[in-house]
Amino acid sequence: MSDSQDRILIIGAGIAGIQGALDAANAGAKVTLVERSPTVGGKMSVLDKNFPTLDCSICIESPKMSEVALNPNIELLTMAEVQSIEGKAGDFAVGIRQDARYVTDACTRCAECVNACPVIVKNEFDYGMAARKAIYTPIEQAVPGPYVIDVQNCLNEPPNLLPCTRCTDACGPNAIDFDMKPKLIERKVASVVVATGFDLLDPALLSEFGYGKHPDILTSMELERLLQASGPSMGEIVRPSDGKHPERVLFVLCAGSRDERLVKYCSRICCMYSIKEAYQLKDHGIKEVDVAYMDIRAFGKGFDEFYDRTRASGVRFMRSRPAKVSSDGARIRVAFENTEAAAAKAVEDYDMVVLATAAIPSKGTKPLAQLLGIELSSDGFFASVDRNGGFNTSTRDGVYLAGCSTGPKDIPDSVIEAGAAVAKALTYVKTRSWPVPAEVVQISTEGEPRIGVFVCHCGSNIAGVVDIKSVLEFARTLPNVVHAQDQTYSCAANTLNDISGVIRDKNINRVVVAACSPKTHYPTFQGALNRAGLNPYLLDMANIRNMDSWVHKEDRVGALQKAKDMVKMSVLRAINMKPLQTMKFPVTQTALIVGGGVAGIVAATNLANQGFETHLVEKEPKLGGLLNSMTEIAPLGVESSALLGSLLKDLADSKVKVHTSTLVETISGFVGSYDVHLSDGSNFMAGAVVVATGAEPYVPTEFDYGKNTNVVTSLELDGMMDKVTGKNVSIISCVGSRSDTSGCSRFCCQTMINQAVRLKEKGNEVNVLYKDIRTFTRFGEEEYEKAGELGVRFYQYPQDSVPQESIKLTDGKLVAKDELSGREVALPTDLTVLNIGLTRRKAQQ
């Protein structure tokens, strides 16, 4: 048992838990990572692609999954759950139960046992879309690599051991051990991070949508498995009912979300993953794809652009709410109201219907909260304390929250929260270490190059277009190639070990990997070379996925020839490669934070609390940024001044060196050693620089702003809320946002709804003119509902226009066409509020 001062416990090994573990381990903390399923990866590992970039999901996550298993600072416990926790922040005693896997690390994943096993059950990792055996691997890239035995479905379920010996007879390495027993593990930890993810609402609860009554009514995750190259249909979009390609597909958004009967909140991720899936279906050749939505909440970076791209691809978006989904046995009939069509009520037939079901707290959240001694919110997710502007702090000191454990969110936000939670957890870690890898016998690079070529299928991402066998045969004819083999997923932990083994066994001194992007995977394969004892710089990668199979999928002959050419070029480069040596330099244990708004203050405080000398530079006379111009933060109504006061107190207590009214004049040097000169005359060395310069409020020119005193911005309204004299107030959304030059500013809708509620409670009549209502934040949807109940009136103007084109301010009235009613409205207004977004901050002068 290690000293509690050097270890963090992370519960949950989805992408948030994985990233948190890697961040903590790389910061020198020991990590115990607990995951209840047989593999790490969570839901990201079974997705096909990520929005809005369409990057391969598992290709991004798999290297991180492998790194978790290989990092010497991380103890990975799968099939495990926390059973007890005692103590206090800085000194917790934790009890963990780990179930038996019944397969040892000697497993080579040869599949002989799987072929021999007579038991067939539904594969929960394919969401029931395919079958698996009682001995299985959850996914191809599973970490840990060995198979696992589902003992509840195995014929050898204790105490009836060994009535069936098929798997043990088939296992050459004798890796199956039915004598394995559950383990009780005790660890002392300094702090805890909870990253337990989310589950999906049972669609059978939505009786109007007919789930379970027709096999072609699917959930979004079931469709995701059909899209996935290693899924049940190998990436082919087919109807489960007959295996044929559908011609018409309907996506139903908010299936259970924003629903008084089930889940009142917005599930936040559904709009974008449905848009992504709709785009993919068009890319797969599906003729007609429709999306039924209430609001399109494309609030993230690049989301609106991807939404526009999807519409341009031919996907039809209908603002509608299906009333009933039924079937005549052949096709699926959908009755719905289309608010954008002349005939509002419609009935249409589809070949497939996809339900974007609500995200709900993961199974076991309530008992885990009781065990940890932390509270839940009214929505069932873990309750976070809005302490110092963050939502990573639980109701118990030393226990932090990350990812979807506090509510639905997408992958980038989950990763960011993981980093923030771990940064806070690290303040309790007093001892840090970076284990030196064990010495490995080095392979000689002298003499003739001996090249090993490894060609990745990437499921069907590459192999679905490129003839891998032909590439291998060609590679074997190239000069100095002594070994060539293919792999289903080269970046999986077990195949990385295979690469290391082949390098050692065949004395390979140059490696070529024909797979995906070296930008994301080069360090992963370098690790395989390192562990084999080969200089990691004797590696070349041919990107035959991004630069070949993905862009030439309609030309398989050309794609094959290009793959051969790319492998040949890599081999010829490898012949001429020379080993390089890494150089170590000391890292200056001082940090520079540029920008003294909320982000800069919190970053500086945290680094100082971790024991690093920290400098915070702000060009204005006082810290706080935009908080100084606000009175209340939506949707929880937090007082800005109280929040800023708390932040500044913690900053002062942390002994950060603050430089106000100061600019950074020069920064020179290199990573770990930057020479910093400030305009106040300060000069110091910094090992790291954090840029937190924020953004600037948009300054409007629309609606005679600056000339008409009855036109103000939402930021100005916040400061004059108690001074509003007119009866009628109209708020116009997306002023300066969602145009040709800018995307969604993310926070504005929530601000607008909050201000509308406050005005209505004061007795004003309030009109809101909007494109979409994007109240995706936690408790944001509830405030939107409150606004409607109070009598705030909402009018939608066209999504494809900017407000000044669709709305006219004349003679004390706002005139616009309401998209919902189809009528022109003239709204009396004494005060017009322009709900402004943010723009890029100008470079310091």
Side-chain angles (χ1 to χ4, degrees), residues 385-400:
V385 179
D386 183 22
R387 188 176 298 162
N388 297 348
F391 288 94
N392 300 113
T393 305
S394 78
T395 53
R396 182 176 184 178
D397 287 343
V399 179
Y400 299 99

Side-chain angles (χ1 to χ4, degrees), residues 200-213 217 219 254-257 259-263 321 355 357-358 360:
L200 292 169
L201 182 74
D202 180 0
L205 297 173
L206 302 159
S207 57
E208 67 270 29
F209 294 143
Y211 182 84
K213 298 176 182 177
I217 301 174
T219 68
C254 299
S257 302
D259 189 323
E260 289 288 334
R261 302 166 302 168
L262 298 166
V263 173
R321 182 75 172 174
L355 307 177
T357 49
I360 60 174

Side-chain angles (χ1 to χ4, degrees), residues 351-480:
D351 301 313
M352 182 183 287
V353 172
V354 183
L355 307 177
T357 49
I360 60 174
S362 62
K363 182 181 178 181
T365 293
K366 187 173 181 179
L368 181 60
Q370 293 172 340
L371 186 149
L372 294 174
I374 60 178
E375 296 176 12
L376 297 177
S377 287
S378 57
D379 55 14
F381 290 96
F382 290 106
S384 55
V385 179
D386 183 22
R387 188 176 298 162
N388 297 348
F391 288 94
N392 300 113
T393 305
S394 78
T395 53
R396 182 176 184 178
D397 287 343
V399 179
Y400 299 99
L401 309 168
C404 295
S405 67
T406 58
K409 51 187 66 72
D410 60 21
I411 292 168
D413 284 352
S414 295
V415 168
I416 290 168
E417 280 202 0
V422 164
K424 292 177 180 178
L426 283 168
T427 60
Y428 290 98
V429 174
K430 305 306 178 185
T431 305
R432 304 195 188 196
S433 61
W434 292 265
V436 178
E439 287 290 330
V440 179
V441 176
Q442 296 297 301
I443 295 174
S444 173
T445 57
E446 299 297 323
E448 197 71 12
R450 294 175 55 81
I451 300 173
V453 177
F454 300 88
V455 183
C456 181
H457 289 236
C458 198
S460 62
N461 277 298
I462 297 172
V465 177
V466 176
D467 183 347
I468 300 296
K469 183 178 179 181
S470 294
V471 175
L472 281 176
E473 291 173 352
F474 174 75
R476 292 180 180 120
T477 68
L478 296 174
N480 297 94

Side-chain angles (χ1 to χ4, degrees), residues 35 64 101 119 127 266 268 330 343 359 413 495 518 628 818:
E35 168 57 44
K64 295 179 182 292
R101 198 177 190 94
V119 178
Y127 289 81
C266 169
R268 188 164 172 162
D413 284 352
T495 45
N628 291 301
D818 176 29

Side-chain angles (χ1 to χ4, degrees), residues 592-604:
L592 165 67
I593 315 296
V594 183
V598 172
I601 293 171
V602 171

Side-chain angles (χ1 to χ4, degrees), residues 427-652:
T427 60
Y428 290 98
V429 174
K430 305 306 178 185
T431 305
R432 304 195 188 196
S433 61
W434 292 265
V436 178
E439 287 290 330
V440 179
V441 176
Q442 296 297 301
I443 295 174
S444 173
T445 57
E446 299 297 323
E448 197 71 12
R450 294 175 55 81
I451 300 173
V453 177
F454 300 88
V455 183
C456 181
H457 289 236
C458 198
S460 62
N461 277 298
I462 297 172
V465 177
V466 176
D467 183 347
I468 300 296
K469 183 178 179 181
S470 294
V471 175
L472 281 176
E473 291 173 352
F474 174 75
R476 292 180 180 120
T477 68
L478 296 174
N480 297 94
V481 172
V482 298
H483 176 82
Q485 74 174 81
D486 63 325
Q487 298 170 315
T488 306
Y489 288 97
S490 294
C491 61
N494 61 305
T495 45
L496 289 170
N497 289 334
D498 184 36
I499 291 173
S500 297
V502 170
I503 292 171
R504 287 192 298 267
D505 294 343
K506 298 201 172 184
N507 200 32
I508 289 170
N509 58 23
R510 305 287 191 281
V511 174
V512 169
V513 177
C516 52
S517 172
K519 183 177 181 180
T520 55
H521 284 62
Y522 195 83
T524 300
F525 294 113
Q526 281 188 307
L529 270 66
N530 250 331
R531 290 186 292 276
L534 180 60
N535 185 287
Y537 297 98
L538 297 175
L539 165 71
D540 197 80
M541 287 187 67
N543 188 355
I544 62 172
R545 187 194 67 182
N546 304 45
M547 300 177 68
D548 188 14
S549 65
W550 278 2
V551 291
H552 300 300
K553 61 184 178 183
E554 304 301 330
D555 180 12
R556 297 192 175 208
V557 174
L560 174 59
Q561 185 57 52
K562 184 173 182 179
K564 290 179 178 179
D565 290 343
M566 293 177 76
V567 170
K568 182 178 181 180
M569 287 188 288
S570 281
V571 167
L572 294 177
R573 277 195 297 270
I575 290 173
N576 294 298
M577 282 181 169
K578 303 296 182 186
L580 302 177
Q581 301 303 319
T582 57
M583 301 174 66
K584 292 185 178 181
F585 294 91
V587 175
T588 303
Q589 301 296 291
T590 300
L592 165 67
I593 315 296
V594 183
V598 172
I601 293 171
V602 171
T605 301
N606 181 269
L607 284 167
N609 286 339
Q610 289 189 49
F612 299 104
E613 179 183 323
T614 305
H615 293 260
L616 176 61
V617 177
E618 168 57 45
K619 68 177 182 179
E620 300 296 335
K622 61 181 180 179
L623 302 175
L626 287 176
L627 269 186
N628 291 301
S629 305
M630 301 166 62
T631 61
E632 187 172 302
I633 300 172
L636 298 180
V638 176
E639 289 187 14
S640 304
S641 58
L643 172 61
L644 182 56
S646 176
L647 289 170
L648 293 177
K649 180 182 181 304
D650 288 348
L651 181 74

